[in-house]
Amino acid sequence: MKSPRVVVLDYGSGNLRSAQRALERVGAQVEVTADADAALECDGLAVPGVGAFAACMTGLRAVGGDKLIAQRLERNRPVLGICVGMQVLFAAGVEHGTWAEGCGAWPGTVERLDADVLPHMGWNTVAAAPGSTLFNGIPAGTRFYFVHSYALREVGAADLVAAGARLSWTEHGERFAAAAEQGVLSATQFHPEKSGDAGATLLANWLGAL
């Protein structure tokens, strides 16, 4: 069976090599690049991200990444967002009172979590959505690794749920979307590449659906 070809989009943000190694570990052929042709033609596009929402969007637009994501979705080609790479898929993000436009692939605004301790850093469980592809075969109570202060909060997720997305939830101060899946578009707020065997299983599930 031929290994799926995955591009990890290089737009100046994210643990690119960690994502590359994690995907290679589960059988993908991985290229880290911002080349538009490679990003459009690969079997799966992974969009990692760390840092501030607005800065990630600036970097993404600089390489045409927002348009690449939109084109892949129009062509029914799989995309996986990771951490801030998930956040930028939404319509907007608000950090330190500053509003920034996102890719708009999903409705919703990424906001600061209402929690006593931020960032939310470390291992936490995820309540997987019924019928989830990403969490298939992963036991309830399995922990994944998070590092973030912002997310799609449950109070702002109604439009996404109404649009038919499958949401998986985690709680830190309040409930927020730990992962989202809708058609060929998938994303995790946590870092599967830092989540050991559980993260490897999730990435293998994604590859298996390409």
Side-chain angles (χ1 to χ4, degrees):
M1 186 174 176
K2 190 176 180 181
S3 298
R5 295 179 302 113
V6 174
V7 163
V8 175
L9 188 62
D10 183 1
Y11 64 99
S13 177
N15 299 308
L16 304 178
R17 300 303 170 186
S18 294
Q20 177 185 16
R21 288 192 297 269
L23 285 159
E24 288 174 343
R25 174 187 171 191
V26 293
Q29 299 179 56
V30 185
E31 181 180 4
V32 178
T33 183
D35 180 78
D37 289 337
L40 285 173
E41 297 304 322
C42 62
D43 298 313
L45 178 67
V47 184
V50 296
F53 184 104
C56 283
M57 279 304 305
T58 297
L60 200 58
R61 290 194 183 98
V63 300
D66 53 337
K67 293 182 175 64
L68 290 172
I69 291 169
Q71 287 177 284
R72 282 190 65 88
L73 297 179
E74 287 171 5
R75 299 179 187 185
N76 208 37
R77 306 299 300 275
V79 175
L80 174 68
I82 297 173
C83 196
V84 184
M86 171 179 178
Q87 295 178 9
V88 295
L89 295 172
F90 293 104
V94 178
E95 293 192 14
H96 308 296
T98 301
W99 182 93
E101 184 178 359
C103 291
W106 278 323
T109 299
V110 173
E111 300 175 288
R112 188 177 188 271
L113 291 174
D114 184 9
D116 291 338
V117 177
L118 289 173
H120 172 218
M121 182 182 296
W123 298 84
N124 207 339
T125 56
V126 175
S132 168
T133 296
L134 292 180
F135 293 93
N136 184 39
I138 298 176
T142 298
R143 294 179 178 272
F144 295 86
Y145 190 78
F146 292 82
V147 184
H148 66 112
S149 298
Y150 297 81
L152 181 73
R153 302 163 64 206
E154 184 178 26
V155 295
D159 287 344
L160 183 55
V161 172
R166 289 175 171 164
L167 296 186
S168 299
W169 301 98
T170 293
E171 188 164 325
H172 180 73
E174 62 178 323
R175 290 226 312 171
F176 65 88
E181 302 164 68
Q182 186 177 27
V184 294
L185 184 57
S186 305
T188 65
Q189 180 60 66
F190 55 84
H191 288 274
E193 78 280 9
K194 295 181 180 180
S195 296
D197 290 343
T201 298
L202 183 142
L203 291 174
N205 286 341
W206 181 64
L207 291 182
L210 298 183

PDB file of all heavy atoms in Angstrom, residues 153-186:
ATOM      1  N   ARG A 153     -14.651  28.534  22.508  1.00  0.00           N
ATOM      2  CA  ARG A 153     -15.364  28.211  23.743  1.00  0.00           C
ATOM      3  C   ARG A 153     -16.740  27.620  23.414  1.00  0.00           C
ATOM      4  O   ARG A 153     -17.320  27.914  22.357  1.00  0.00           O
ATOM      5  CB  ARG A 153     -15.518  29.470  24.591  1.00  0.00           C
ATOM      6  CG  ARG A 153     -14.185  30.129  24.932  1.00  0.00           C
ATOM      7  CD  ARG A 153     -14.369  31.563  25.394  1.00  0.00           C
ATOM      8  NE  ARG A 153     -15.129  31.623  26.643  1.00  0.00           N
ATOM      9  CZ  ARG A 153     -15.846  32.684  27.008  1.00  0.00           C
ATOM     10  NH1 ARG A 153     -15.935  33.741  26.209  1.00  0.00           N
ATOM     11  NH2 ARG A 153     -16.494  32.672  28.148  1.00  0.00           N
ATOM     12  N   GLU A 154     -17.243  26.796  24.317  1.00  0.00           N
ATOM     13  CA  GLU A 154     -18.541  26.170  24.078  1.00  0.00           C
ATOM     14  C   GLU A 154     -19.629  27.217  23.853  1.00  0.00           C
ATOM     15  O   GLU A 154     -20.525  27.027  23.012  1.00  0.00           O
ATOM     16  CB  GLU A 154     -18.924  25.262  25.247  1.00  0.00           C
ATOM     17  CG  GLU A 154     -20.218  24.498  25.026  1.00  0.00           C
ATOM     18  CD  GLU A 154     -20.562  23.574  26.172  1.00  0.00           C
ATOM     19  OE1 GLU A 154     -20.132  23.835  27.314  1.00  0.00           O
ATOM     20  OE2 GLU A 154     -21.279  22.581  25.932  1.00  0.00           O
ATOM     21  N   VAL A 155     -19.541  28.335  24.565  1.00  0.00           N
ATOM     22  CA  VAL A 155     -20.570  29.374  24.452  1.00  0.00           C
ATOM     23  C   VAL A 155     -20.599  30.001  23.054  1.00  0.00           C
ATOM     24  O   VAL A 155     -21.578  30.636  22.676  1.00  0.00           O
ATOM     25  CB  VAL A 155     -20.375  30.482  25.514  1.00  0.00           C
ATOM     26  CG1 VAL A 155     -20.583  29.929  26.907  1.00  0.00           C
ATOM     27  CG2 VAL A 155     -18.981  31.118  25.402  1.00  0.00           C
ATOM     28  N   GLY A 156     -19.524  29.821  22.287  1.00  0.00           N
ATOM     29  CA  GLY A 156     -19.479  30.401  20.951  1.00  0.00           C
ATOM     30  C   GLY A 156     -19.488  29.369  19.836  1.00  0.00           C
ATOM     31  O   GLY A 156     -19.177  29.696  18.689  1.00  0.00           O
ATOM     32  N   ALA A 157     -19.867  28.138  20.175  1.00  0.00           N
ATOM     33  CA  ALA A 157     -19.751  27.048  19.206  1.00  0.00           C
ATOM     34  C   ALA A 157     -21.065  26.679  18.529  1.00  0.00           C
ATOM     35  O   ALA A 157     -21.098  25.766  17.707  1.00  0.00           O
ATOM     36  CB  ALA A 157     -19.163  25.815  19.885  1.00  0.00           C
ATOM     37  N   ALA A 158     -22.143  27.374  18.853  1.00  0.00           N
ATOM     38  CA  ALA A 158     -23.465  26.968  18.353  1.00  0.00           C
ATOM     39  C   ALA A 158     -23.531  26.957  16.824  1.00  0.00           C
ATOM     40  O   ALA A 158     -24.107  26.029  16.229  1.00  0.00           O
ATOM     41  CB  ALA A 158     -24.546  27.898  18.916  1.00  0.00           C
ATOM     42  N   ASP A 159     -22.954  27.963  16.184  1.00  0.00           N
ATOM     43  CA  ASP A 159     -23.019  28.030  14.726  1.00  0.00           C
ATOM     44  C   ASP A 159     -22.254  26.880  14.085  1.00  0.00           C
ATOM     45  O   ASP A 159     -22.674  26.341  13.055  1.00  0.00           O
ATOM     46  CB  ASP A 159     -22.463  29.357  14.222  1.00  0.00           C
ATOM     47  CG  ASP A 159     -23.389  30.527  14.501  1.00  0.00           C
ATOM     48  OD1 ASP A 159     -24.576  30.286  14.803  1.00  0.00           O
ATOM     49  OD2 ASP A 159     -22.923  31.676  14.428  1.00  0.00           O
ATOM     50  N   LEU A 160     -21.136  26.498  14.696  1.00  0.00           N
ATOM     51  CA  LEU A 160     -20.350  25.401  14.148  1.00  0.00           C
ATOM     52  C   LEU A 160     -21.093  24.077  14.299  1.00  0.00           C
ATOM     53  O   LEU A 160     -21.108  23.252  13.382  1.00  0.00           O
ATOM     54  CB  LEU A 160     -18.986  25.336  14.842  1.00  0.00           C
ATOM     55  CG  LEU A 160     -18.013  24.280  14.320  1.00  0.00           C
ATOM     56  CD1 LEU A 160     -17.781  24.435  12.825  1.00  0.00           C
ATOM     57  CD2 LEU A 160     -16.694  24.361  15.070  1.00  0.00           C
ATOM     58  N   VAL A 161     -21.725  23.885  15.450  1.00  0.00           N
ATOM     59  CA  VAL A 161     -22.528  22.679  15.665  1.00  0.00           C
ATOM     60  C   VAL A 161     -23.686  22.644  14.670  1.00  0.00           C
ATOM     61  O   VAL A 161     -23.977  21.607  14.050  1.00  0.00           O
ATOM     62  CB  VAL A 161     -23.052  22.621  17.113  1.00  0.00           C
ATOM     63  CG1 VAL A 161     -24.041  21.477  17.290  1.00  0.00           C
ATOM     64  CG2 VAL A 161     -21.888  22.478  18.093  1.00  0.00           C
ATOM     65  N   ALA A 162     -24.330  23.789  14.478  1.00  0.00           N
ATOM     66  CA  ALA A 162     -25.454  23.871  13.539  1.00  0.00           C
ATOM     67  C   ALA A 162     -25.011  23.593  12.109  1.00  0.00           C
ATOM     68  O   ALA A 162     -25.801  23.098  11.294  1.00  0.00           O
ATOM     69  CB  ALA A 162     -26.105  25.245  13.626  1.00  0.00           C
ATOM     70  N   ALA A 163     -23.755  23.900  11.803  1.00  0.00           N
ATOM     71  CA  ALA A 163     -23.228  23.655  10.463  1.00  0.00           C
ATOM     72  C   ALA A 163     -22.918  22.187  10.216  1.00  0.00           C
ATOM     73  O   ALA A 163     -22.570  21.803   9.097  1.00  0.00           O
ATOM     74  CB  ALA A 163     -21.975  24.498  10.238  1.00  0.00           C
ATOM     75  N   GLY A 164     -23.013  21.374  11.266  1.00  0.00           N
ATOM     76  CA  GLY A 164     -22.838  19.942  11.106  1.00  0.00           C
ATOM     77  C   GLY A 164     -21.475  19.404  11.487  1.00  0.00           C
ATOM     78  O   GLY A 164     -21.178  18.227  11.237  1.00  0.00           O
ATOM     79  N   ALA A 165     -20.630  20.230  12.099  1.00  0.00           N
ATOM     80  CA  ALA A 165     -19.316  19.752  12.513  1.00  0.00           C
ATOM     81  C   ALA A 165     -19.431  18.858  13.747  1.00  0.00           C
ATOM     82  O   ALA A 165     -20.301  19.057  14.588  1.00  0.00           O
ATOM     83  CB  ALA A 165     -18.402  20.932  12.812  1.00  0.00           C
ATOM     84  N   ARG A 166     -18.559  17.873  13.822  1.00  0.00           N
ATOM     85  CA  ARG A 166     -18.457  17.034  15.013  1.00  0.00           C
ATOM     86  C   ARG A 166     -17.419  17.659  15.940  1.00  0.00           C
ATOM     87  O   ARG A 166     -16.259  17.814  15.550  1.00  0.00           O
ATOM     88  CB  ARG A 166     -18.027  15.619  14.641  1.00  0.00           C
ATOM     89  CG  ARG A 166     -19.095  14.820  13.918  1.00  0.00           C
ATOM     90  CD  ARG A 166     -18.547  13.472  13.475  1.00  0.00           C
ATOM     91  NE  ARG A 166     -19.594  12.610  12.979  1.00  0.00           N
ATOM     92  CZ  ARG A 166     -19.389  11.516  12.248  1.00  0.00           C
ATOM     93  NH1 ARG A 166     -18.148  11.179  11.923  1.00  0.00           N
ATOM     94  NH2 ARG A 166     -20.396  10.776  11.829  1.00  0.00           N
ATOM     95  N   LEU A 167     -17.833  17.996  17.145  1.00  0.00           N
ATOM     96  CA  LEU A 167     -16.915  18.628  18.094  1.00  0.00           C
ATOM     97  C   LEU A 167     -16.600  17.684  19.237  1.00  0.00           C
ATOM     98  O   LEU A 167     -17.490  17.026  19.784  1.00  0.00           O
ATOM     99  CB  LEU A 167     -17.524  19.916  18.648  1.00  0.00           C
ATOM    100  CG  LEU A 167     -17.770  21.045  17.645  1.00  0.00           C
ATOM    101  CD1 LEU A 167     -18.248  22.299  18.367  1.00  0.00           C
ATOM    102  CD2 LEU A 167     -16.524  21.347  16.840  1.00  0.00           C
ATOM    103  N   SER A 168     -15.326  17.629  19.580  1.00  0.00           N
ATOM    104  CA  SER A 168     -14.858  16.906  20.762  1.00  0.00           C
ATOM    105  C   SER A 168     -14.430  17.943  21.784  1.00  0.00           C
ATOM    106  O   SER A 168     -13.869  18.984  21.424  1.00  0.00           O
ATOM    107  CB  SER A 168     -13.681  15.994  20.395  1.00  0.00           C
ATOM    108  OG  SER A 168     -14.084  15.034  19.429  1.00  0.00           O
ATOM    109  N   TRP A 169     -14.692  17.664  23.060  1.00  0.00           N
ATOM    110  CA  TRP A 169     -14.590  18.703  24.088  1.00  0.00           C
ATOM    111  C   TRP A 169     -13.557  18.381  25.153  1.00  0.00           C
ATOM    112  O   TRP A 169     -13.329  17.216  25.486  1.00  0.00           O
ATOM    113  CB  TRP A 169     -15.946  18.893  24.774  1.00  0.00           C
ATOM    114  CG  TRP A 169     -17.044  19.275  23.843  1.00  0.00           C
ATOM    115  CD1 TRP A 169     -17.978  18.447  23.280  1.00  0.00           C
ATOM    116  CD2 TRP A 169     -17.316  20.588  23.334  1.00  0.00           C
ATOM    117  NE1 TRP A 169     -18.814  19.149  22.459  1.00  0.00           N
ATOM    118  CE2 TRP A 169     -18.445  20.466  22.469  1.00  0.00           C
ATOM    119  CE3 TRP A 169     -16.743  21.838  23.525  1.00  0.00           C
ATOM    120  CZ2 TRP A 169     -18.988  21.561  21.801  1.00  0.00           C
ATOM    121  CZ3 TRP A 169     -17.281  22.922  22.854  1.00  0.00           C
ATOM    122  CH2 TRP A 169     -18.392  22.785  22.011  1.00  0.00           C
ATOM    123  N   THR A 170     -12.977  19.441  25.697  1.00  0.00           N
ATOM    124  CA  THR A 170     -12.120  19.363  26.878  1.00  0.00           C
ATOM    125  C   THR A 170     -12.529  20.499  27.806  1.00  0.00           C
ATOM    126  O   THR A 170     -13.089  21.498  27.363  1.00  0.00           O
ATOM    127  CB  THR A 170     -10.640  19.494  26.498  1.00  0.00           C
ATOM    128  OG1 THR A 170     -10.257  18.357  25.734  1.00  0.00           O
ATOM    129  CG2 THR A 170      -9.729  19.566  27.719  1.00  0.00           C
ATOM    130  N   GLU A 171     -12.242  20.325  29.088  1.00  0.00           N
ATOM    131  CA  GLU A 171     -12.582  21.368  30.047  1.00  0.00           C
ATOM    132  C   GLU A 171     -11.337  21.868  30.772  1.00  0.00           C
ATOM    133  O   GLU A 171     -10.534  21.082  31.290  1.00  0.00           O
ATOM    134  CB  GLU A 171     -13.595  20.828  31.070  1.00  0.00           C
ATOM    135  CG  GLU A 171     -14.153  21.920  31.983  1.00  0.00           C
ATOM    136  CD  GLU A 171     -15.401  21.492  32.721  1.00  0.00           C
ATOM    137  OE1 GLU A 171     -16.209  20.735  32.144  1.00  0.00           O
ATOM    138  OE2 GLU A 171     -15.553  21.912  33.879  1.00  0.00           O
ATOM    139  N   HIS A 172     -11.170  23.177  30.766  1.00  0.00           N
ATOM    140  CA  HIS A 172     -10.173  23.854  31.593  1.00  0.00           C
ATOM    141  C   HIS A 172     -10.771  25.198  31.970  1.00  0.00           C
ATOM    142  O   HIS A 172     -10.770  26.140  31.177  1.00  0.00           O
ATOM    143  CB  HIS A 172      -8.850  24.046  30.842  1.00  0.00           C
ATOM    144  CG  HIS A 172      -7.800  24.736  31.671  1.00  0.00           C
ATOM    145  ND1 HIS A 172      -7.140  24.104  32.708  1.00  0.00           N
ATOM    146  CD2 HIS A 172      -7.322  26.005  31.634  1.00  0.00           C
ATOM    147  CE1 HIS A 172      -6.298  24.957  33.260  1.00  0.00           C
ATOM    148  NE2 HIS A 172      -6.386  26.120  32.628  1.00  0.00           N
ATOM    149  N   GLY A 173     -11.366  25.264  33.136  1.00  0.00           N
ATOM    150  CA  GLY A 173     -12.112  26.450  33.539  1.00  0.00           C
ATOM    151  C   GLY A 173     -13.506  26.437  32.947  1.00  0.00           C
ATOM    152  O   GLY A 173     -14.486  26.749  33.618  1.00  0.00           O
ATOM    153  N   GLU A 174     -13.592  26.084  31.684  1.00  0.00           N
ATOM    154  CA  GLU A 174     -14.870  25.952  30.965  1.00  0.00           C
ATOM    155  C   GLU A 174     -14.663  24.970  29.822  1.00  0.00           C
ATOM    156  O   GLU A 174     -13.535  24.604  29.488  1.00  0.00           O
ATOM    157  CB  GLU A 174     -15.305  27.309  30.410  1.00  0.00           C
ATOM    158  CG  GLU A 174     -14.323  27.886  29.403  1.00  0.00           C
ATOM    159  CD  GLU A 174     -14.787  29.204  28.821  1.00  0.00           C
ATOM    160  OE1 GLU A 174     -15.994  29.363  28.595  1.00  0.00           O
ATOM    161  OE2 GLU A 174     -13.918  30.071  28.586  1.00  0.00           O
ATOM    162  N   ARG A 175     -15.757  24.549  29.217  1.00  0.00           N
ATOM    163  CA  ARG A 175     -15.652  23.628  28.087  1.00  0.00           C
ATOM    164  C   ARG A 175     -15.250  24.379  26.828  1.00  0.00           C
ATOM    165  O   ARG A 175     -15.704  25.493  26.560  1.00  0.00           O
ATOM    166  CB  ARG A 175     -16.996  22.923  27.848  1.00  0.00           C
ATOM    167  CG  ARG A 175     -17.336  21.935  28.937  1.00  0.00           C
ATOM    168  CD  ARG A 175     -17.829  20.607  28.408  1.00  0.00           C
ATOM    169  NE  ARG A 175     -18.855  20.664  27.387  1.00  0.00           N
ATOM    170  CZ  ARG A 175     -19.265  19.593  26.691  1.00  0.00           C
ATOM    171  NH1 ARG A 175     -18.715  18.415  26.903  1.00  0.00           N
ATOM    172  NH2 ARG A 175     -20.228  19.709  25.789  1.00  0.00           N
ATOM    173  N   PHE A 176     -14.374  23.750  26.046  1.00  0.00           N
ATOM    174  CA  PHE A 176     -13.952  24.324  24.777  1.00  0.00           C
ATOM    175  C   PHE A 176     -13.733  23.191  23.779  1.00  0.00           C
ATOM    176  O   PHE A 176     -13.621  22.015  24.152  1.00  0.00           O
ATOM    177  CB  PHE A 176     -12.682  25.167  24.940  1.00  0.00           C
ATOM    178  CG  PHE A 176     -11.464  24.367  25.339  1.00  0.00           C
ATOM    179  CD1 PHE A 176     -10.644  23.786  24.382  1.00  0.00           C
ATOM    180  CD2 PHE A 176     -11.141  24.203  26.680  1.00  0.00           C
ATOM    181  CE1 PHE A 176      -9.529  23.052  24.748  1.00  0.00           C
ATOM    182  CE2 PHE A 176     -10.027  23.466  27.055  1.00  0.00           C
ATOM    183  CZ  PHE A 176      -9.219  22.882  26.089  1.00  0.00           C
ATOM    184  N   ALA A 177     -13.689  23.552  22.512  1.00  0.00           N
ATOM    185  CA  ALA A 177     -13.521  22.560  21.452  1.00  0.00           C
ATOM    186  C   ALA A 177     -12.070  22.085  21.406  1.00  0.00           C
ATOM    187  O   ALA A 177     -11.160  22.859  21.091  1.00  0.00           O
ATOM    188  CB  ALA A 177     -13.920  23.150  20.108  1.00  0.00           C
ATOM    189  N   ALA A 178     -11.870  20.806  21.725  1.00  0.00           N
ATOM    190  CA  ALA A 178     -10.535  20.209  21.656  1.00  0.00           C
ATOM    191  C   ALA A 178     -10.221  19.711  20.260  1.00  0.00           C
ATOM    192  O   ALA A 178      -9.056  19.591  19.876  1.00  0.00           O
ATOM    193  CB  ALA A 178     -10.428  19.058  22.646  1.00  0.00           C
ATOM    194  N   ALA A 179     -11.272  19.414  19.490  1.00  0.00           N
ATOM    195  CA  ALA A 179     -11.094  18.969  18.109  1.00  0.00           C
ATOM    196  C   ALA A 179     -12.392  19.212  17.356  1.00  0.00           C
ATOM    197  O   ALA A 179     -13.469  19.288  17.956  1.00  0.00           O
ATOM    198  CB  ALA A 179     -10.721  17.488  18.063  1.00  0.00           C
ATOM    199  N   ALA A 180     -12.266  19.345  16.053  1.00  0.00           N
ATOM    200  CA  ALA A 180     -13.437  19.530  15.199  1.00  0.00           C
ATOM    201  C   ALA A 180     -13.218  18.755  13.910  1.00  0.00           C
ATOM    202  O   ALA A 180     -12.087  18.666  13.406  1.00  0.00           O
ATOM    203  CB  ALA A 180     -13.674  21.007  14.901  1.00  0.00           C
ATOM    204  N   GLU A 181     -14.292  18.184  13.394  1.00  0.00           N
ATOM    205  CA  GLU A 181     -14.232  17.403  12.161  1.00  0.00           C
ATOM    206  C   GLU A 181     -15.484  17.693  11.339  1.00  0.00           C
ATOM    207  O   GLU A 181     -16.590  17.614  11.848  1.00  0.00           O
ATOM    208  CB  GLU A 181     -14.182  15.903  12.465  1.00  0.00           C
ATOM    209  CG  GLU A 181     -13.011  15.479  13.336  1.00  0.00           C
ATOM    210  CD  GLU A 181     -13.205  14.083  13.916  1.00  0.00           C
ATOM    211  OE1 GLU A 181     -13.184  13.108  13.144  1.00  0.00           O
ATOM    212  OE2 GLU A 181     -13.395  13.976  15.142  1.00  0.00           O
ATOM    213  N   GLN A 182     -15.276  18.010  10.077  1.00  0.00           N
ATOM    214  CA  GLN A 182     -16.400  18.213   9.164  1.00  0.00           C
ATOM    215  C   GLN A 182     -15.927  17.909   7.755  1.00  0.00           C
ATOM    216  O   GLN A 182     -15.149  18.659   7.170  1.00  0.00           O
ATOM    217  CB  GLN A 182     -16.946  19.638   9.246  1.00  0.00           C
ATOM    218  CG  GLN A 182     -18.213  19.842   8.419  1.00  0.00           C
ATOM    219  CD  GLN A 182     -18.775  21.235   8.570  1.00  0.00           C
ATOM    220  OE1 GLN A 182     -18.055  22.180   8.857  1.00  0.00           O
ATOM    221  NE2 GLN A 182     -20.080  21.377   8.388  1.00  0.00           N
ATOM    222  N   GLY A 183     -16.392  16.799   7.220  1.00  0.00           N
ATOM    223  CA  GLY A 183     -15.940  16.403   5.897  1.00  0.00           C
ATOM    224  C   GLY A 183     -14.442  16.198   5.861  1.00  0.00           C
ATOM    225  O   GLY A 183     -13.885  15.460   6.672  1.00  0.00           O
ATOM    226  N   VAL A 184     -13.770  16.886   4.935  1.00  0.00           N
ATOM    227  CA  VAL A 184     -12.323  16.731   4.785  1.00  0.00           C
ATOM    228  C   VAL A 184     -11.526  17.664   5.690  1.00  0.00           C
ATOM    229  O   VAL A 184     -10.291  17.625   5.698  1.00  0.00           O
ATOM    230  CB  VAL A 184     -11.889  16.969   3.319  1.00  0.00           C
ATOM    231  CG1 VAL A 184     -12.461  15.894   2.414  1.00  0.00           C
ATOM    232  CG2 VAL A 184     -12.279  18.363   2.850  1.00  0.00           C
ATOM    233  N   LEU A 185     -12.215  18.500   6.458  1.00  0.00           N
ATOM    234  CA  LEU A 185     -11.538  19.448   7.343  1.00  0.00           C
ATOM    235  C   LEU A 185     -11.550  18.931   8.775  1.00  0.00           C
ATOM    236  O   LEU A 185     -12.605  18.655   9.337  1.00  0.00           O
ATOM    237  CB  LEU A 185     -12.217  20.812   7.274  1.00  0.00           C
ATOM    238  CG  LEU A 185     -11.576  21.944   8.077  1.00  0.00           C
ATOM    239  CD1 LEU A 185     -10.123  22.165   7.670  1.00  0.00           C
ATOM    240  CD2 LEU A 185     -12.373  23.239   7.921  1.00  0.00           C
ATOM    241  N   SER A 186     -10.350  18.782   9.348  1.00  0.00           N
ATOM    242  CA  SER A 186     -10.205  18.302  10.721  1.00  0.00           C
ATOM    243  C   SER A 186      -9.201  19.187  11.447  1.00  0.00           C
ATOM    244  O   SER A 186      -8.328  19.799  10.820  1.00  0.00           O
ATOM    245  CB  SER A 186      -9.693  16.854  10.752  1.00  0.00           C
ATOM    246  OG  SER A 186     -10.514  15.998  10.003  1.00  0.00           O
TER     247      SER A 186
END
